[in-house]
Amino acid sequence: MSNTKQTYSRTSGAKAGKTNVSKSKATKSPAAVSDKSKSAAWVSWFDPEKNASLTGKFEDIDSLSNIVRVAIKGVDTKVFYAFASSAAIPDKYLAELINTSPRTLSNYKEQHKPLEPVKGEHLLRLIALFKKGEEVFGTLREFQGWLTKPKMKADKAPIDWLITPGGVDLVSQELDRIAYGYPV
């Protein structure tokens, strides 16, 4: 009898650690790997060949009150796909960060249905965080590299905290400390 614990990815139902294949390129879903190696899996998210930038985009996301107001009204799935494209993040990984599946997002898009307020707010907070990260680090690529390295007084990388709005806030506070020159 084996004492190996099997876990399942919340987006695909695949056994943990199983390789997902898309576009003839094998990658591990971040949810499908152990916590210790999860940060390494996030590294494959970003397309280093794409010169990603959020400069001049998503300008109405400048305060928490605006984020909440927009989320309550409903965030169109076009915002999700525009952010994924602008930040060079595959849709499936961004969907995982806001705790939904790519299929659900596709259905919402086809039905012209906005994201649920909680998921919309989470997405908008991520956008605001990535904009701040690009401002602090100079480029989105540098910020994305920083996200994947363990930092925050733990074995986890900042990107591992982004699955909750509170985690987004913690990473944002860490960026503020960097911007003001505090040691991190």
Side-chain angles (χ1 to χ4, degrees), residues 49-132:
E49 301 300 317
K50 185 173 180 183
N51 190 13
S53 177
L54 299 177
T55 304
K57 300 173 185 164
F58 309 106
E59 294 299 323
D60 58 338
I61 305 170
D62 57 355
S63 70
L64 184 55
S65 61
N66 281 350
I67 287 172
V68 172
R69 193 175 306 117
V70 171
I72 289 171
K73 286 181 183 177
V75 176
D76 193 304
T77 55
K78 290 177 186 176
V79 174
F80 172 88
Y81 292 108
F83 174 56
S85 175
S86 296
I89 303 171
D91 299 346
K92 67 180 181 177
Y93 296 129
L94 183 55
E96 194 171 308
L97 279 180
I98 64 169
N99 300 303
T100 195
S101 71
R103 183 67 192 140
T104 298
L105 288 163
S106 178
N107 287 339
Y108 282 13
K109 183 179 178 183
E110 290 171 9
Q111 298 167 8
H112 304 287
K113 182 179 176 182
L115 294 173
E116 299 162 16
V118 172
K119 294 181 190 300
E121 180 184 345
H122 193 165
L123 175 64
L124 295 175
R125 283 177 177 235
L126 285 169
I127 293 170
L129 177 76
F130 274 65
K131 286 180 61 109
K132 182 187 278 189

Side-chain angles (χ1 to χ4, degrees), residues 15-49:
K15 287 183 183 176
K18 186 172 181 178
T19 302
N20 296 325
V21 179
S22 65
K23 295 183 183 178
S24 303
K25 185 178 175 183
T27 59
K28 284 190 176 184
S29 169
V33 294
S34 70
D35 277 346
K36 295 231 181 212
S37 63
K38 188 180 273 189
S39 298
W42 299 117
V43 175
S44 66
W45 277 31
F46 310 114
D47 183 354
E49 301 300 317

